[in-house]
Amino acid sequence: MTPARTASPRTARAINDRIALELLADRGPLTAGRLKELTGLSRPSVADLLQRLADDGLVRVVGEAGEARRGPNARLYGLAADRAHVAAVDVRTGSVSFAVADLAGSPVDRAVLPVEEAGNGGARDAGTGAGDPAERTAAALEEALRGNGVTGLHTVAVGVPGLIDPAAGTLGRSAALPAWHARVPAALRERLGVPVLLENEVNLAGIAEHRLGAARGRDTFVLLWLGHGVGAAVVLDGALRRGASGGTGEIGFLPVPGTAGLPTATDCDGGFHSVAGAEAVCALAREHGLTATPYDPADGARAAEAVVRSAAAGEAGGAGEAFLEALAGRIAVGAAAVASVLDPGCVVLGGEVGRAGGQALADRVAQRLAGLSPLATEVLCGTVEGSPVLGGGLVTALDAARRELFNPR
């Protein structure tokens, strides 16, 4: 029988250091005594640990625990959050938004960069010069970092529509996406000189809901994204699933009843997208006598978001109720297909339409879903504040930064 191996002193120190750093990142400043309670380490071990982390520039004294306490035992130790920064970028057809945070996850800056001409076949979309949207994105982020005095950018996470090759980490070419989308990662790497992680934007939103929102504490769930297009992020046993070609969750291509035809390998018209995408939501609203701004691809899901929010708030009366019921029926068809294959036990409605509908829409979808599927499936609305794509991007970039930095000597 092979004897069990024990960790070497060096490995044990590294493990303890990482645990302490994660506690400081998650719970804020702590005293040495509180760290002792949380880690189960002895007082001398905690003292040595804090000294090592201070020497590595990862921890510093940030104050004292209370007015009545003074001296070493009252010192509050905090994560040196300015040791490194991360950024997230959300690439859309008509705009790019980005956010910057420090090592503790505290926000530093956030901005939206309009991208006119993007995706319209204009000259700037085809070029790679100063007017190229990819170059403008990299320059705008660089300027934001400089304006905030950030010099230690560690990682950038980029969310884009479309398939991400899980092996190469590159965006698959799609005629439906502007050509400049694929150039954003390279432009950021070249200008900023840091690692750039590329991920499907719905997957990033799913990560945000898993770590920060409605699915927090759940090991298995599916985020159903309802916006300009539709998609899904699948988390099984605590892990995001991307599939062999990065196509897990491409439910816009899911054949469903009620459409004029079937989707093809290059066009999701005739699939779930045709009944639950923003354009279809606006058309459904007009069918029920509601005023919906004519759909404009450049505005993404704004018109659909507005009419769904109004209906969910009860502002549209009986017509709004009927519209929500009809929309819930459509969404439930897609949710039932997901449930029948994955049995996730929980579906979170995200995207502009899902969040605008709130729990009022989620409850209606749950009721319809219960009549379509024998599998018990809770339906929730997304709760991440702000942009879930940027939120998931920051979480992803922070994970990468902490994996490297939270393994001190």
Side-chain angles (χ1 to χ4, degrees), residues 9-369:
R10 181 176 181 179
T11 300
R13 284 196 300 270
I15 293 172
N16 291 335
D17 288 355
R18 183 177 180 87
I19 290 173
L21 287 165
E22 293 287 358
L23 286 169
L24 290 170
D26 293 340
R27 304 197 182 198
L30 299 168
T31 63
R34 184 61 177 144
L35 275 172
K36 174 180 176 296
E37 294 173 7
L38 293 171
T39 61
L41 297 172
S42 67
R43 191 175 298 278
S45 294
V46 169
D48 290 343
L49 174 153
L50 288 170
Q51 187 60 57
R52 282 195 305 274
L53 297 180
D55 291 344
D56 285 323
L58 290 168
V59 166
R60 63 171 67 106
V61 176
V62 296
E64 292 192 343
E67 294 294 332
R69 301 176 63 186
R70 290 290 184 268
N73 291 336
R75 289 175 184 164
L76 280 171
Y77 294 88
L79 185 68
D82 57 357
R83 167 70 185 275
H85 290 77
V86 298
V89 179
D90 180 10
V91 180
R92 301 297 176 101
T93 301
S95 67
V96 177
S97 57
F98 60 80
V100 181
D102 63 23
L103 193 57
S106 300
V108 172
D109 198 2
R110 186 172 293 226
V112 178
L113 174 68
V115 183
E116 304 84 2
E117 298 139 343
N120 296 326
R124 293 190 183 182
D125 188 45
T128 56
D132 175 38
E135 293 296 332
R136 290 172 55 203
T137 297
L141 179 53
E142 182 181 46
E143 179 59 30
L145 296 172
R146 186 164 46 244
N148 286 280
V150 174
T151 57
L153 186 66
H154 186 281
T155 302
V156 179
V158 180
V160 295
L163 297 178
I164 307 299
D165 186 316
T170 56
L171 176 64
R173 190 70 189 98
S174 170
L177 299 175
W180 62 271
H181 280 197
R183 296 195 295 270
V184 170
L188 290 168
R189 289 189 192 99
E190 182 176 347
R191 185 175 285 267
L192 302 175
V194 300
V196 176
L197 308 176
L198 189 63
E199 183 59 89
N200 174 269
E201 94 276 38
V202 177
N203 282 346
L204 289 182
I207 290 171
E209 291 294 348
H210 188 211
R211 299 279 290 275
L212 310 170
R216 190 170 186 174
R218 295 177 182 267
D219 285 338
T220 298
F221 77 100
V222 170
L223 170 72
L224 201 59
W225 181 269
L226 306 166
H228 169 64
V230 297
V234 177
V235 175
L236 302 177
D237 299 325
L240 178 70
R241 306 297 180 176
R242 297 178 176 84
S245 60
T248 296
E250 288 293 325
I251 60 170
F253 290 88
L254 178 74
V256 296
T259 61
L262 291 173
T264 68
T266 57
D267 191 348
C268 58
D269 284 347
F272 185 54
H273 170 83
S274 294
V275 298
E279 184 173 11
V281 172
C282 289
L284 181 65
R286 288 192 292 272
E287 289 175 14
H288 284 79
L290 303 182
T291 301
T293 304
Y295 175 74
D296 181 356
D299 286 335
R302 289 180 187 173
E305 178 184 7
V307 72
V308 170
R309 177 173 286 111
S310 175
E315 298 172 355
E321 288 286 327
F323 162 66
L324 281 183
E325 288 291 341
L327 178 58
R330 292 185 176 191
I331 296 170
V333 170
V338 168
S340 67
V341 174
L342 299 175
D343 189 15
C346 177
V347 170
V348 177
L349 304 185
E352 294 87 347
V353 169
R355 296 174 71 189
Q359 203 57 43
L361 178 60
D363 289 343
R364 287 171 171 80
V365 172
Q367 190 172 39
R368 292 298 191 94
L369 181 56

